[in-house]
Amino acid sequence: MFRAIGLLTIAIALFLGGVSAMADAGDFQVGVGKVVITPKKNMWMAGYASRTQPSDGKVHDLYAKALAIKDSEGNISVLVGSDVIGLPREMSQQVGETIEKKHGIPRERLMLTASHTHTGPAFRDNLRTMYKMDDGQWALVEEYSKELPLLLVEAIDKAIADLEPCKLYWGVGEAGFAKNRRKYTIGGVTNDYNPIGPVDHDVPVLKAVREDGSVKALSFGYACHNTTLGFYKFTGDYAGFAQEYLEKDFDGATAIFSAGCGGDQNPLPRRSLELAEKYGHELADAVKSVANSEMEEMKGPIKAQYREIDLPLSEPPTREELVEQTKSDNRYIQARAEALLPKFDEKGGLDTTYPYPIQIWDFTSGHRILALGGEAVVDYSLLFKHYLGEEKLWVIAYANDVMAYIPSLRVLREGGYEGAESMIYYGMYGPWAPQVESMIVGTVHDMVGKELDESP
Ligand SMILES: [Zn+2]
């Protein structure tokens, strides 16, 4: 009898041992990698058509930073933040292929994000019709566009080599400097402060903590254009300052910013270094107060999905219409038509859809990161929080490819810069088709396994 109880005790102990090993299975290993990506030479800067000369030095360095998370199933997922306007499709693909070959990490586990700073370098294949630069300047842009993917890979390599046991925590703070920039006037929507327009002031924060209790990483986001500054010095703008302040406050931590759905949001007022620093402090303080408070512990494994959907554009122009546009006295329309004509002739027409990337990481604890491509307007983060619950959802935009603005149906119908005009600078022949919002929302619902009519 006693012997039987003894064996039973051993059996229970073994069973409990197994259970506790399973309970630990939610824990992670986390690594970070940080690489300076400031161009070595002065070159053309991204985001504004009005610039007339290349950069003139820097205020501080620009960085690519990677956060590698290895879960209990041995899968490594990597989130990359970069102080640039947005990574074009070709560059993200190149980085994705290299990382898959080198580390066996599939594309769905690599999330490439950007801060959308407008005081960073210009790229090939992004806003090409916007810039008026000579061949010498284009050569520098080409050179940098070849360098940057290698630097992104270097940051990811470093993060993977740096993996150590960590706990991950989730929380959401708030910062109020993002303002809706679509003002309704009799003449249509203009780029100005709209006090009644929608905003999203959430500051999602993911914190990685080492076994000794020190903070290893703070990954955070905010839905606002990173456009306080428009001058000729390289900076990460408010997001660059926020990352700098957090890395000072949390010694040994890496702070990584990813822009949210701020397509129609600006930091207002703007245009001074003091304001960029002020917003940087505001954002860093929001992250800090979350990081210093009680946060929810996250559990793995992480389920990752990546899809590209054929997002439709409106009716394409005829060849004759394109030829007519090459004679336009609007130099941007003219430049766009000149870029599109050879494409038209090569294929006998223009592509009427664009492969739009949507990526989702689901943690077993219910926390979810949704990463959308393009300059998604704020309606998308508000919509998805409404549909999928705001407590455990972080919506990132400008992820994996920044091909154009992504208007909601409302913004598309209202027109203005984000709904229509910006397509000229992105070299797209016309506005998106009206089903863009329903396709994106429908795809996300499909990916998370939820019927649209179950929402909210
Ligand atoms: Zn933008």
Side-chain angles (χ1 to χ4, degrees):
M1 183 65 187
F2 283 116
R3 187 182 155 82
I5 288 172
L7 282 174
L8 186 65
T9 310
I10 291 166
I12 289 170
L14 283 172
F15 173 73
L16 288 176
V19 167
S20 84
M22 275 164 69
D24 287 335
D27 291 342
F28 300 100
Q29 288 186 55
V30 174
V32 290
K34 179 175 168 182
V35 171
V36 172
I37 58 167
T38 320
K40 291 181 194 79
K41 298 172 192 165
N42 279 314
M43 60 176 284
W44 217 264
M45 300 173 82
Y48 292 119
S50 55
R51 285 205 175 94
T52 54
Q53 66 194 62
S55 63
D56 175 24
K58 65 179 181 187
V59 171
H60 53 205
D61 273 316
L62 307 175
Y63 294 94
K65 297 175 188 171
L67 175 75
I69 307 170
K70 187 173 183 179
D71 66 25
S72 58
E73 290 186 342
N75 289 311
I76 299 174
S77 306
V78 185
L79 168 72
V80 176
S82 52
D83 295 321
V84 295
I85 191 104
L87 302 169
R89 175 179 168 78
E90 201 187 306
M91 205 180 281
S92 294
Q93 278 178 327
Q94 188 189 332
V95 174
E97 281 161 21
T98 309
I99 294 305
E100 181 143 28
K101 259 185 225 147
K102 264 183 126 166
H103 300 287
I105 295 173
R107 187 64 186 83
E108 65 268 23
R109 292 197 180 272
L110 178 63
M111 195 176 275
L112 297 167
T113 76
S115 76
H116 201 47
T117 177
H118 281 46
T119 41
F123 301 144
R124 176 186 67 201
D125 304 326
N126 174 272
L127 291 167
R128 202 180 171 106
T129 49
M130 178 179 267
Y131 310 124
K132 201 178 183 185
M133 56 180 121
D134 61 24
D135 290 349
Q137 281 302 321
W138 270 119
L140 291 176
V141 168
E142 284 287 334
E143 195 180 306
Y144 186 77
S145 302
K146 282 183 190 144
E147 255 172 53
L148 184 60
L150 307 178
L151 296 172
L152 294 171
V153 169
E154 191 185 324
I156 298 166
D157 286 347
K158 280 189 173 174
I160 292 169
D162 181 56
L163 289 166
E164 63 177 315
C166 278
K167 284 189 185 294
L168 284 180
Y169 296 91
W170 177 282
V172 181
E174 203 181 326
F177 61 85
K179 305 285 191 301
N180 190 290
R181 69 178 201 189
R182 289 173 56 80
K183 186 180 181 178
Y184 304 125
T185 69
I186 291 171
V189 176
T190 58
N191 191 330
D192 206 348
Y193 177 35
N194 175 357
I196 56 158
V199 295
D200 177 0
H201 285 161
D202 281 355
V203 180
V205 180
L206 193 158
K207 178 174 77 169
V209 178
R210 296 183 189 91
E211 282 184 322
D212 67 4
S214 62
V215 177
K216 185 175 179 77
L218 288 163
S219 177
F220 63 105
Y222 192 53
C224 182
H225 258 74
N226 205 6
T227 51
T228 321
L229 301 166
F231 59 15
Y232 288 92
K233 299 215 181 291
F234 287 123
T235 79
D237 207 297
Y238 75 75
F241 285 111
Q243 292 173 85
E244 192 178 296
Y245 301 149
L246 285 166
E247 289 179 2
K248 263 184 212 148
D249 286 346
F250 294 86
D251 195 26
T254 302
I256 306 171
F257 176 80
S258 302
C261 298
D264 52 350
Q265 310 288 310
N266 264 344
L268 297 175
R270 56 181 188 166
R271 296 293 186 252
S272 76
L273 199 54
E274 290 70 30
L275 283 168
E277 290 168 346
K278 178 176 173 267
Y279 300 143
H281 274 301
E282 215 175 310
L283 187 54
D285 286 348
V287 174
K288 222 161 96 179
S289 76
V290 172
N292 288 333
S293 65
E294 200 173 318
M295 297 175 75
E296 288 174 33
E297 190 176 348
M298 302 168 76
K299 289 288 174 188
I302 302 169
K303 183 187 165 201
Q305 299 181 76
Y306 177 94
R307 270 195 214 173
E308 286 180 359
I309 55 170
D310 291 330
L311 219 53
L313 289 152
S314 56
E315 274 302 297
T318 62
R319 192 176 192 286
E320 290 66 38
E321 284 165 340
L322 278 181
V323 172
E324 202 51 44
Q325 285 179 20
T326 62
K327 298 168 199 156
S328 170
D329 45 18
N330 178 326
R331 79 167 167 93
Y332 306 109
I333 290 179
Q334 186 202 333
R336 175 180 65 175
E338 273 161 13
L340 288 177
L341 257 180
K343 289 184 186 170
F344 188 104
D345 290 340
E346 189 189 322
K347 291 185 177 175
L350 295 172
D351 290 335
T352 55
T353 62
Y354 189 92
Y356 179 76
I358 300 176
Q359 187 173 20
I360 299 178
W361 286 358
D362 276 307
F363 289 76
T364 303
S365 48
H367 301 99
R368 171 177 285 152
I369 304 176
L370 163 61
L372 302 170
E375 301 204 40
V377 298
V378 78
D379 292 2
Y380 283 98
S381 61
L382 299 175
L383 262 174
F384 284 120
K385 284 179 198 175
H386 174 70
Y387 281 139
L388 305 173
E390 59 188 331
E391 301 293 305
K392 296 185 176 191
L393 178 68
W394 175 4
V395 188
I396 296 174
Y398 300 86
N400 300 307
D401 183 8
V402 179
M403 74 304 288
Y405 277 81
I406 303 298
S408 58
L409 184 58
R410 172 183 72 82
V411 169
L412 187 74
R413 282 187 174 145
E414 289 171 359
Y417 187 74
E418 297 84 0
E421 289 150 28
S422 57
M423 295 299 259
I424 302 169
Y425 303 106
Y426 274 104
M428 299 260 200
Y429 67 71
W432 295 105
Q435 58 268 47
V436 159
E437 177 186 305
S438 61
M439 282 182 72
I440 294 171
V441 171
T443 304
V444 170
H445 275 74
D446 189 44
M447 289 168 83
V448 303
K450 193 174 177 191
E451 294 288 332
L452 196 49
D453 55 10
E454 281 176 25
S455 299

